[in-house]
Amino acid sequence: MIPRRWKSRQQAARLLLVILALTLAAAACAPDEDTGGGGTGGTVKLGFISPVTGFVAALGTDMRRGWEMYWQQNGGKAGDVTVQTVYEDDTGDPEVALTKARRLVEQQQVQLVAGPILANTAYAVAGYVAGKGLPTVQMTGADDLTQRKFNPLVLRVGYTSSQSNFPAGQWAYDEGHRTAVTICPDYAFGWESCGGFVSAFVKAGGKIDRQIWHPLGTQDFSTYVAQARQAAPDVVFVGSAGGPDAIQLYKAWTGLGLKDRIPLIGNCCFADQVFLREVGSEALGLQSFTYWSEGRDAPLVRGFVEAYEQQHKEIPSLYAAGAYTMAQVIAEALKKTGGKIEGADFIGAARQVSLSDSLYGALTFDDTNNVVGPVYLTRVERRDDGTLWSVVEQTFPEVSQFGTEGKEAFLEHPVFSRDYTGQ
Amino acid sequence: MSAGRWAGAAALAAGIGGVVAAPYVLPSYVVSLLTLTFIAALLAGSVNLLAGQAGLVSIGHAGIAAAGAYGVAWATVHDLGLPVALGVAAALTLAVSAVYALTTMRTSGIVFLMITLALGITVFGLALKLSSVTGGQNGLTGIRRPGPVEEWWTFYFFTAAVSGVCLLALAALSRSPFGLMLRGIRESQSRMTSLGYSVPAVKFAAVLASGAFAGCAGVLLAWNSEFMSPSAASFQRSALAVVMVIVGGTGTLLGPLVGAGIVVGAEYWLSSYLERWQTALGVALILVVLFAPRGIVGGLQDLAAQRPPRPRKEGS
Amino acid sequence: MSLDELLLQALNGLSFGALLFVLASGFTLVFGLMQIVNLAHGAFYLVGGYVGIVTVTATGSFLAAVAAGAATGAVIGLASEGLLLRRVRGQELPEVLLTVGIALVVADTCLAVFGGNPRSVQVPSALSGSVQLGAITYPTYRLFVLALAVVLGVALYVIQHRTRLGALIRAGVDDREIAESLGINVPRVFTAMFVFGAALAGLAGVVAAGLLTLRPGADTDILLFALVVVVVGGLGSLQGAAVGSALIGLVDAFSKAWVPELSSFAVFAPMAIVLMFRPAGLFGRART
């Protein structure tokens, strides 16, 4: 190793000069880079990133399961093309997600990257993959990904965080509610979720009494629920990201006796399966506006739920359904392009995909690569075997990420934030 | 020169040769891991200055790195040009390091640890909170690298050079009278005071110096990912930096580099093959603490000098 | 804020503080006696909690779950101390780092065994529901946690100051050499204390599962709170842990109510203030 006691400073200086000289000399010549390549003949190689460890391990695991299930059910093929997937774990950290994306693109030579889920990881990965000229398919909700930060190489097979809440706002008003209080987590997903509801509710003529923002990871919601109770609105909207926060919020809600006093509506991700498993029968009758209803009476949904339950002993969550649908859209696009994946052309083909039925319902895509599809008003009920799930009460077809405004008008105003929720 | 010195020089030449040859013989992905390793080594090196020399273990240094990173990220996203971006990064790093230094200069041991922990989490919280500036949870995208180092391989050389120079500077600092003062503080603060040194002033300077290197690491980090989000300031990142220092060996020049290599290897290479890589890392840490208390580099040094492994010196 | 709301928030803060006390008491006792900063304490909490949840699902008995959680903590604590920590006894930094390694292994194993879904415990019907306190309705379980912490605190105090065991421990803390020369098997006392602390952590995990949800990362979340509590209260002091947990619980509750944007680092404010004026903590002893 380096001699521990340098006799003179000259040695150090010489060392430095050597390093710099070599660096400069080397920097003059460019080495090769490895990208693209990918599948051979009738095979395509796809990369799939999701957080299988870390604080959102549940979501990432479900995503992987949903994706795998699609390929299992279709013999690992899309038409005549064999599909190979390389899986990576992003642990919920953008740095890790980016490095794993690099591995997929540069070392594993995948032709497309699907996932991850958390907004910051998705932005990091999408930025990198698109920068390499490869297509990427996302299911994260981050609004701007297909709005102000639109990229022709990025396709979202899913709904924006605000999208499924536009019908909620209108519906709440139509039900006769005139005042509302919102409870959303204090970060982009929460702002966008609330933004969807608030903008629609206010546009319809309603008034927002109070917007309650809570930090992510809040354990104890009694303060916030108490504030909602104090405002005594006609309806309360919750824009939750699911998981422990949703469970704790609802426990506080029922604990303070509000369950039968003020109507509560949840967003896409509030009353998911994780929630239902933990909260139990207190959740019966809870209404939400979402795009995934595991109890929806459609053959595709029934088949998926049955197969998933048989394999994994749980009802699939919206994360499993989302990944399954990503796979489905990619498969349909592959059939259109004959197994070729070439940058924006592939995304263009994917955008042309129109599914008369998917796990979400009838899907098409708009010209900024986002889903246009149905939103369901669901209610929690007990299935025949006693498990809880959501069934559809009402369907709102062809909801766009721009709500009822249309693209130009919608993009005029800034992205939903804590200060701007469309009031 | 003695045989030992020839061997040392040869090893050094081989090492440098390897670093320079890497982009030409290794796949670009592996080179990107090496880039990450150098950046991590720089952060670990900054932690090592305080931990190895002064016995002050900071478990919040990712916060200082994040300050530098956000400085350059914000300025770049606002198209303010490279000199301004570096200036903003330097100013932010200095400001945050000064806060760390002021709050910890009269403390040591566990209290020092706790305060740096709190500060790191505070930086993380601020990064989340000040979303109009930092992009909040979603972060900032599109942080383009400066022209000359835009390519993956030019950036690799740049990072290797910067990290190499900084690690040498850190080593020089350790061997300087300043380093002697730090070690004196680790041995006995009261003795240093009775010798006329102002212990708080020395600690203040040390934290500031350490912070400067951490800030450098932060700037490199932002340029490497071309993305920046609060998780770079998280407690987990700071803790991993400490793990790198310990596993590599405190108070050694190459310790941070070796430690960084192992942790980066576990986090990014091992994790692709072993889902339980965190368990493996934990076991590795336990083994190092039990059987190589002076870290891997320290342990190798002991072996080379044929000394039995002995426990690290404890300061008060 | 009305008086009712004040009372509600105060109860929230105190009940969360109660949970913190159950956790922090074990942590601070281990430190006081053995000078070990056990950063695996959060992991013991997590694994104990998960085992408790699984026990309730299997047996339907909350009591069994609590026992199982505490036992799990104890077993893992015994393994940690006996196999690992003992080898670096007396060396501060290596001990802390060993606990970091243990924490990594235990937390990752929990993920592997129990999965990533957030889990909580179905509280027994005797403790579920709410109680009418004046104008407010307050969950019974939270009051139970409060009562549990008080009982535990009193029990620990009595043991420490009124029993022979407590005297043994205090002797070991004050002067290990003299205690050994008096025939006290200090290493065994140390092991017993570490195991006890770990058992308390496991117990805290099960109790917490009725209040919060457990998931990957919950170990570091709660460990951070525990660290702040003992730094504020004074490492090694039981009274410190009690006062510290009450204070931190209250600060957490009120900051979430009044300044939610700052609540994630609001708990560091009391820590900063205490460290400025009494670096050893409110009830701590300055260490030489």
Side-chain angles (χ1 to χ4, degrees), chain B residues 68-80 84-85 88 92 132-135 140 143 222 228:
Chain B
Y70 268 115
V72 81
W74 177 85
T76 311
V77 160
H78 284 82
D79 292 317
L80 294 178
V84 176
V88 172
L92 215 50
S132 47
V133 172
T134 63
L140 295 169
I143 302 162
M228 184 59 196

Side-chain angles (χ1 to χ4, degrees), chain A residues 1-7 11-12 15-16 18-20 22-23 25-34 52-54 64 87-89 91-100 102-104 106-108 119-121 123-124 132 142 149 186-189 191-192 216 418, chain B residues 1 4-5 7-9 11-12 16-17 20 23-24 27-30 32-33 36 129 131 137-139 141 145 151-154 157-158 161 164-165 168 171-172 175 221 224-227 229-231 234 237 253-254 267-268 271-273 275-278 294 300-301 307:
Chain A
M1 302 282 152
I2 298 175
R4 290 179 85 225
R5 249 178 264 112
W6 287 325
K7 294 268 160 71
Q11 278 184 322
L15 201 58
L16 260 153
V18 167
I19 293 178
L20 284 169
L22 280 172
T23 310
C29 352
D32 312 310
E33 188 179 12
D34 345 296
V52 194
T53 59
R64 209 183 264 203
Y87 296 95
E88 288 289 359
D89 171 18
T91 75
D93 181 292
E95 204 50 63
V96 177
L98 186 64
T99 311
K100 293 305 172 80
R102 282 214 176 104
R103 180 170 190 265
L104 286 173
E106 294 174 30
Q107 195 193 59
Q108 298 294 318
N120 51 17
T121 58
Y123 273 125
K132 289 283 181 204
K149 294 206 172 97
D186 196 8
Y187 77 116
F189 176 81
W191 305 329
E192 291 167 7
L216 254 190
R418 195 195 155 108
Chain B
M1 281 204 285
R5 295 277 285 280
L12 179 63
I16 294 181
V20 169
Y24 304 98
S28 59
Y29 172 67
V30 179
S32 69
L33 284 186
L36 262 178
K129 224 15 263 179
S131 47
Q137 178 85 294
N138 282 359
T141 49
R145 296 174 195 155
E151 295 294 315
W152 60 276
W153 56 279
T154 50
F157 281 127
F158 177 66
V165 167
L168 283 171
R175 283 158 179 69
L221 188 70
N224 186 41
S225 329
E226 299 191 307
F227 174 85
S229 82
S231 55
S234 68
R237 292 270 152 228
L253 168 64
L254 289 174
E267 201 177 353
Y268 298 115
S271 59
S272 298
Y273 302 102
E275 202 173 307
R276 305 265 72 85
W277 63 274
Q278 286 174 321
R294 282 176 12 101
L300 286 172
Q301 283 175 342
R307 280 199 298 267

Side-chain angles (χ1 to χ4, degrees), chain B residues 57 110-111 114-115 117-118 121-122 125-126 129 235-236 246 276 278-279 282-283 285-286 289-290 311-312 314, chain C residues 37 84 87 91 93-94 97-98 100-102 104-105 108 111-112 220 224 227 231 235 261 265 268 271 275 279:
Chain B
V57 178
I110 269 297
V111 179
M114 287 302 300
I115 295 183
L117 173 68
I121 294 178
T122 305
L126 283 172
K129 224 15 263 179
F235 164 68
Q236 280 77 5
I246 302 302
R276 305 265 72 85
Q278 286 174 321
T279 304
V283 169
L285 181 61
I286 291 173
V289 171
L290 286 179
R312 295 179 52 259
E314 292 301 317
Chain C
V37 178
L84 301 171
R87 295 171 192 246
Q91 302 163 54
L93 196 57
L97 297 169
L98 260 187
V100 170
I102 295 170
L104 274 171
V105 173
D108 196 38
L111 177 62
T220 32
L224 289 173
L227 285 173
V231 166
L235 282 159
E261 312 89 72
F265 31 93
F268 292 122
M271 186 177 104
L275 285 176

